[in-house]
Amino acid sequence: MKIIIVGGVAGGATTAARLRRLTEKAEIILIERGNHISFANCGLPYYIGDVIKNKKDLLVQTPEKFNKRFNVDVRIKQEVIKIDRKEKKVIIRNIETNKNYEESYDKLVLSPGAKPINPFKDINIEKIRTLRNVEDSVEIKDYIENNNIKNIAIIGGGYIGVEVAENLSNLNKTKITIIEKSSHLIAPLDEDMAKFIHKVLRDKGINVILNNGVKEIENEDDKLGIVLEDKKMSADFIILCIGVKPEDMLAVQADLKIYPRGGIEVDEHMRTNDEDIYALGDVVKIKNCVTEEFAHIPLAGPANKQARVVANNICGIETTYDGSIGSSILKIFDYNLGMTGINETTCKKNNIQYKTIILSPYSHATYYPGANMLNIKAIYENKTGKILGAQVFGKESVDKITDILATAIKMKMTAYDLEELDLCYAPPFSSAKSPVNLLGNSIVNEIEGLVKTVTWQEVEDLENNNNFEVLDVRTDKEYEEGAFNDCIHIPLDDLRNRLNDLDKSKTYLVYCRTGLRSYIACRILSQNGFEVQNITGGYHYLTCI
C-alpha cells in the first residue's frame, strides 16, 4: 500500500508516525511545502518574546530524524498542486527547481492546515506580517530587533493576538496596541469573563481597542496609518492575527465536498466523499460535541486525535472521531485562562435553555501560603444540571479545573456528578471541598430550589424597579471600601437580629464578596418568609467586570 500525506505538523506527521507503528510494509510519502515537517506552532509567540531562546527548540522532529525513526519518505519544499482522483495520482511541484512530477497513491491524506487571513496584501509586506510557521516568527523577531521598532499594532484579539502582545511587551519598551472589531477579546469567552483579560492587559501597559474594526492601512513614509471605524492611528509595525481559514483549494479543485464557508467535509472516520482520501486538522470541520453542529476548531489537540483515527482506518482498524468541545488554555502574564464547551452566545444561537453561575473559590486551602482566588463561570442546562461550558480565570489550578470540567462535558455529566467527584486533596494543592465540588453544590442548590440566582447584568436592569432591593451582607469594613449603589447594608452575622428592618413585600437581591455568605443570607431570609435571590459572583466579580 502506498500512502501520500499532504502537510506535516500535528496532523500529517502524527498520521505518518501512527501508520508506521501499525504497518512496516506500507510506502509512506510525506509532502511538506515548508522547511519543517514537525514544529511547535503553539510556541511561536514565545520565541518572538525570547521565552524560547533557541529556534531549534521549536523543531519537534527534523526530516532526517523522522525518516530514520519511521522510515517515511519526507519531502520538504515540495507542494501537491493537483489531485487526479480518477487516476489516483497527485502532481507535485518542487519549489526549489520549479519542476513538476507525479506520484500515484492507494490512500491520500490531506493535512494542509489553515492559513492566516490577510486582507492587506498590497500594503508594505515588510511591516505587515502574519504568524504561521518558524520562518514567520524568526522574521518578525529579527525585523523588530534590527529596526528599533517602538510602536506595534496587533490586529485581532484572539488567542494568538493576546499571546503575541504579551510576548512583545517582554522585549523592550515597545508600545503595544491590540485592535479588535468585536466587543471583547478571545471570541469563545463570554463578554463578562473577557473583562478580566482586558484588565490584566491594560494593567501591563497594553492598549486594548475594542468595537473598532480596521477599514484601511496606508503607507505613511516610515510608518503605517491605520484607519479605524472612528479614528486614525499609526504604527511602526503590524502583526495580523485576524484568524485563519482552511487551506481547502486543493480539495475544491479535486471536487471533494466542501462546506459553504470553507472546510473539507469528512465522516466520523475522517474520510472525505472519496473513499481513498482522508482529511484532518485545521482544513476540516468537525462536530461540536455539545451542539452537534459542525464547526472549524483549529486546535492541535483535536488534530492529533484525528491523526490516530485516520491511520487506524487506513490500516483496517475501524475507529471513529466523535468530535471536539474546543478545550483550550491561555497564559496572560501572571494569569491563566481556561475554556471548554460552549458559551452563552452559542446557547442563545441554538435556543438551548441554560443558566450560568459564577464562583470565586481559592486555588487551595487558604491557611496554606500562596492561595489565589479563582473566577469560574459555568454554563449548564437549567433543568438537568448538565454541564455545557466553563471558563476559568486565575493564577493557579486553572488547567486542572478546566480539564476536570472538560471531562465532565465530554462525558455528559451533571452538577450532581460534580458533587460526587472524588478529587485529590492536600493543603498545597486544593481544598477538602474542591472548587469543582463547590460548583456542583451551587448548581444543585439552584436546581433543587434552595436558592435563586441572578447575575449582576440582571441586577442593573432592575435598578429602577421599586419591587427589588439590593442587600449587602459583607462586613462593615468591606462595605466602607466600596459597595453597589443604593444598597441596604446588614452584615451577615447581624442579619437574624435585624429581620424587622426588611420589607417582606419586596424581593431582596443579596451579595457578599464571592457569593458564599450571600447564599447563607438567602437561606436565612427565605426560611423567614422573604423572597430573595443570590447575586452570582459577588462584589469581587462586579468590580472586575
Side-chain angles (χ1 to χ4, degrees):
M1 179 166 54
K2 184 177 180 180
I3 305 160
I4 292 179
I5 302 172
V6 181
V9 201
T14 307
T15 301
R18 174 66 175 172
L19 282 167
R20 182 56 76 214
R21 289 195 294 270
L22 293 175
T23 173
E24 279 290 313
K25 296 181 179 179
E27 178 184 359
I28 305 171
I29 302 173
L30 176 59
I31 309 294
E32 168 58 51
R33 69 183 171 197
N35 295 322
H36 310 290
I37 60 158
S38 185
F39 62 90
N41 50 2
C42 294
L44 299 180
Y46 299 98
Y47 175 75
I48 293 172
D50 214 29
V51 176
I52 298 172
K53 297 183 181 298
N54 193 329
K55 182 181 76 171
K56 291 182 179 179
D57 292 338
L58 294 171
L59 305 179
V60 179
Q61 192 71 271
T62 66
E64 295 76 20
K65 288 181 178 178
F66 196 82
N67 173 265
K68 188 173 183 179
R69 176 163 295 180
F70 295 107
N71 188 26
V72 171
D73 182 356
V74 179
R75 304 178 189 178
I76 61 172
K77 299 180 183 178
Q78 302 192 35
E79 181 179 15
V80 175
I81 58 174
K82 186 178 179 181
I83 301 169
D84 186 335
R85 289 170 53 193
K86 185 176 180 181
E87 297 295 325
K88 294 186 69 174
K89 65 182 181 181
V90 294
I91 310 299
I92 303 168
R93 180 173 69 93
N94 186 313
I95 295 172
E96 292 184 311
T97 65
N98 204 29
K99 291 183 179 180
N100 296 343
Y101 64 96
E102 297 180 356
E103 285 283 1
S104 62
Y105 66 83
D106 295 308
K107 300 292 181 183
L108 178 65
V109 179
L110 302 179
S111 183
K115 60 183 177 181
I117 298 170
N118 182 2
F120 308 107
K121 293 179 181 178
D122 297 331
I123 309 298
N124 193 320
I125 59 172
E126 269 201 323
K127 294 184 178 182
I128 300 180
R129 301 296 182 96
T130 58
L131 181 60
R132 183 182 186 184
N133 53 38
V134 176
E135 287 76 15
D136 292 337
S137 64
V138 172
E139 289 173 6
I140 289 170
K141 184 176 181 180
D142 288 348
Y143 189 88
I144 291 171
E145 291 177 350
N146 296 336
N147 291 275
N148 195 30
I149 299 298
K150 293 299 182 184
N151 187 354
I152 300 174
I154 297 166
I155 300 177
Y159 298 99
I160 300 298
V162 171
E163 286 180 333
V164 168
E166 176 193 347
N167 280 280
L168 286 173
S169 73
N170 292 331
L171 289 180
N172 48 40
K173 295 181 179 179
T174 306
K175 179 184 177 184
I176 311 295
T177 300
I178 302 176
I179 303 168
E180 172 56 48
K181 186 175 183 177
S182 73
S183 61
H184 67 277
L185 303 180
I186 315 294
L189 267 182
D190 285 318
E191 187 169 349
D192 55 348
M193 291 296 286
K195 290 180 180 179
F196 288 107
I197 312 304
H198 303 165
K199 184 178 187 303
V200 171
L201 292 170
R202 286 167 173 154
D203 286 348
K204 291 293 184 177
I206 294 172
N207 184 25
V208 178
I209 298 175
L210 303 171
N211 291 306
N212 222 331
V214 177
K215 296 172 66 177
E216 189 179 354
I217 297 176
E218 302 170 341
N219 281 309
E220 292 183 347
D221 299 325
D222 60 338
K223 292 186 178 295
L224 294 167
I226 304 172
V227 182
L228 303 177
E229 291 172 0
D230 65 356
K231 62 182 177 181
K232 185 177 179 180
M233 59 178 287
S234 64
D236 301 324
F237 189 74
I238 292 174
I239 301 176
L240 297 178
C241 301
I242 299 171
V244 297
K245 57 182 178 181
E247 283 225 57
D248 54 16
M249 285 309 299
L250 194 60
V252 170
Q253 293 165 3
D255 201 29
L256 296 175
K257 282 188 178 179
I258 306 291
Y259 284 95
R261 298 184 66 179
I264 300 174
E265 185 176 332
V266 292
D267 64 14
E268 68 272 21
H269 303 290
M270 304 307 297
R271 189 183 291 117
T272 69
N273 56 298
D274 185 317
E275 64 178 11
D276 293 317
I277 302 179
Y278 294 79
L280 74 157
D282 294 356
V283 76
V284 302
K285 282 193 174 179
I286 55 177
K287 185 173 71 174
N288 181 304
C289 293
V290 181
T291 65
E292 298 195 346
E293 290 185 318
F294 283 80
H296 188 221
I297 305 178
L299 297 169
N304 274 277
K305 296 177 185 67
Q306 294 158 24
R308 187 178 180 90
V309 171
V310 169
N312 283 2
N313 284 299
I314 287 175
C315 292
I317 305 170
E318 186 172 335
T319 312
T320 60
Y321 181 72
D322 297 328
S324 171
I325 56 173
S327 301
S328 59
I329 192 163
L330 184 66
K331 175 186 173 295
I332 307 152
F333 292 99
D334 298 330
Y335 290 87
N336 304 303
L337 168 69
M339 295 163 282
T340 186
I342 60 175
N343 58 17
E344 286 196 69
T345 302
T346 303
C347 287
K348 291 170 183 174
K349 176 186 171 186
N350 290 275
N351 295 315
I352 296 171
Q353 298 301 306
Y354 75 96
K355 283 213 69 167
T356 66
I357 194 161
I358 307 288
L359 252 66
S360 299
Y362 280 88
S363 54
H364 62 250
T366 54
Y367 61 82
Y368 187 88
N372 290 291
M373 185 174 285
L374 294 157
N375 295 279
I376 305 173
K377 179 175 184 177
I379 300 164
Y380 63 95
E381 278 187 350
N382 55 359
K383 291 184 178 179
T384 66
K386 184 169 79 170
I387 310 302
L388 303 173
Q391 299 159 31
V392 186
F393 177 78
K395 288 189 173 182
E396 64 172 313
S397 299
V398 170
D399 55 343
K400 175 173 68 176
I401 292 168
T402 305
D403 282 341
I404 295 169
L405 295 173
T407 303
I409 294 168
K410 180 71 174 177
M411 302 308 295
K412 303 186 186 305
M413 293 167 68
T414 71
Y416 295 92
D417 298 311
L418 297 188
E419 286 190 305
E420 297 299 322
L421 286 180
D422 197 353
L423 303 171
C424 59
Y425 159 64
F429 302 103
S430 186
S431 299
K433 189 179 285 187
S434 160
V436 175
N437 297 138
L438 288 172
L439 181 63
N441 295 156
S442 299
I443 296 172
V444 168
N445 286 340
E446 168 94 17
I447 293 172
E448 298 291 341
L450 291 177
V451 68
K452 294 178 182 178
T453 59
V454 61
T455 67
W456 276 113
Q457 290 85 349
E458 291 168 329
V459 172
E460 289 171 351
D461 291 341
L462 294 169
E463 272 195 273
N464 296 321
N465 190 324
N466 292 328
N467 291 324
F468 291 87
E469 292 275 9
V470 177
L471 174 62
D472 184 335
V473 295
R474 295 175 302 152
T475 65
D476 290 333
K477 182 179 179 182
E478 288 175 304
Y479 181 77
E480 289 167 4
E481 290 173 350
F484 187 78
N485 294 334
D486 301 320
C487 66
I488 299 169
H489 175 233
I490 302 176
L492 173 62
D493 293 341
D494 298 338
L495 185 59
R496 287 185 181 89
N497 296 325
R498 293 183 57 184
L499 294 178
N500 291 335
D501 293 354
L502 302 176
D503 183 351
K504 287 187 177 180
S505 69
K506 294 189 175 183
T507 296
Y508 288 94
L509 311 179
V510 190
Y511 76 92
C512 64
R513 183 169 182 239
T514 64
L516 176 59
R517 285 173 289 169
S518 54
Y519 165 66
I520 297 170
C522 285
R523 293 300 301 146
I524 293 170
L525 292 170
S526 63
Q527 292 179 82
N528 279 278
F530 291 90
E531 185 67 29
V532 290
Q533 296 182 36
N534 190 18
I535 303 176
T536 184
Y539 190 72
H540 165 74
Y541 175 75
L542 170 67
T543 55
C544 289
I545 65 166

